[in-house]
Amino acid sequence: MLKIVVMVSGGGTNLQAIIDGIKNGTVTNTELIGVISNNKGVKSLDRAAAAGVPGIVISPADYPTRDDFNKAMLDKLEELAPDLVVLAGFLVRIPEEMVKRFSNRIINIHPSLIPSFCGVGCYGLKVHEKALARGVKLTGATVHFVNEGMDEGPIIAQRGVAVEDGDTPEILQRRVMEQAEWVILPQAIDDIANDRIEVKDGHVVRKKGN
Ligand code: GRF
């Protein structure tokens, strides 16, 4: 049974997709043991509570320095001891210490086809604003392992989503969530929970027979 902790910052629609996937059996062999938010009072925490999952707030505002905040985050993860950490709309830079401690055991969902429209400062609605400004006809979402870089870890899964004439960033964001994020993130967790993928020479490959 894969024990996962999901880290969130806001609405938690990706968290909800994971909760629903576990409930409806599309995400198997997985136990959601906790949700960690860097923000108080966000809908993600309501979603966790409704699912009977412990919700924990670790807010930078409660710590004198960023290092203290990072240490608190890492201490909590060490205490929960998940097999996999899932960043689902988590808008905090993951400290190197945490990447090392959970090497190839942290995954992230990004709302573009990496390497397009990613990196420092490119998150949430900004991603879709950039895609529309560039005039791409296809965008989508990516699930990847987290390494020391920003959105640079080995790619696990991607799914394309058509950009339509007249799209606003909000309309495009919603389509990318519905058609891509909420599908490939639960699928990636199910693949990891059932040992179907591995990282070889920096790339994610499916294990033989999967
Ligand atoms: C989503 O677009 C996700 O890709 C990005 O943050 C946005 C909000 O996600 N990382 P959620 O609704 O909080 O899951």
Side-chain angles (χ1 to χ4, degrees), residues 28-133:
T28 60
N29 198 27
T30 298
E31 182 188 0
L32 174 56
I33 62 171
V35 171
I36 296 175
S37 173
N38 63 306
N39 291 318
K40 300 178 174 76
V42 290
K43 192 163 170 49
S44 290
L45 294 169
D46 300 334
R47 296 178 192 274
V53 176
I56 303 136
V57 175
I58 302 181
S59 163
D62 296 338
Y63 296 90
T65 69
R66 175 58 64 159
D67 282 351
D68 291 330
F69 165 70
N70 286 343
K71 184 180 180 315
M73 213 163 38
L74 191 49
D75 287 352
K76 179 54 71 177
L77 283 172
E78 301 271 16
E79 177 198 322
L80 292 168
D83 301 305
L84 181 71
V85 178
V86 181
L87 309 182
F90 191 60
L91 300 178
V92 169
R93 182 77 194 246
I94 300 300
E96 208 163 307
E97 177 67 22
M98 187 170 139
V99 172
K100 283 198 180 75
R101 177 72 189 74
F102 288 89
S103 176
N104 280 336
R105 292 199 293 138
I106 306 173
I107 64 173
N108 180 51
I109 177 85
H110 182 79
S112 75
L113 297 176
I114 288 175
S116 297
F117 314 120
C118 65
V120 176
C122 200
Y123 55 86
L125 217 48
K126 290 185 174 78
V127 174
H128 305 291
E129 288 165 0
K130 288 174 183 286
L132 290 171

Side-chain angles (χ1 to χ4, degrees), residues 7-17 44 47 87-91 108-112 122-125 127-128 140-142 173-174 176-177 181-182 185:
M7 302 185 81
V8 297
S9 294
T13 64
N14 280 283
L15 166 65
Q16 193 61 56
S44 290
R47 296 178 192 274
L87 309 182
F90 191 60
L91 300 178
N108 180 51
I109 177 85
H110 182 79
S112 75
C122 200
Y123 55 86
L125 217 48
V127 174
H128 305 291
T142 301
Q173 178 179 54
R174 184 73 192 186
V176 168
M177 283 176 165
E181 296 178 43
W182 300 344
L185 184 56

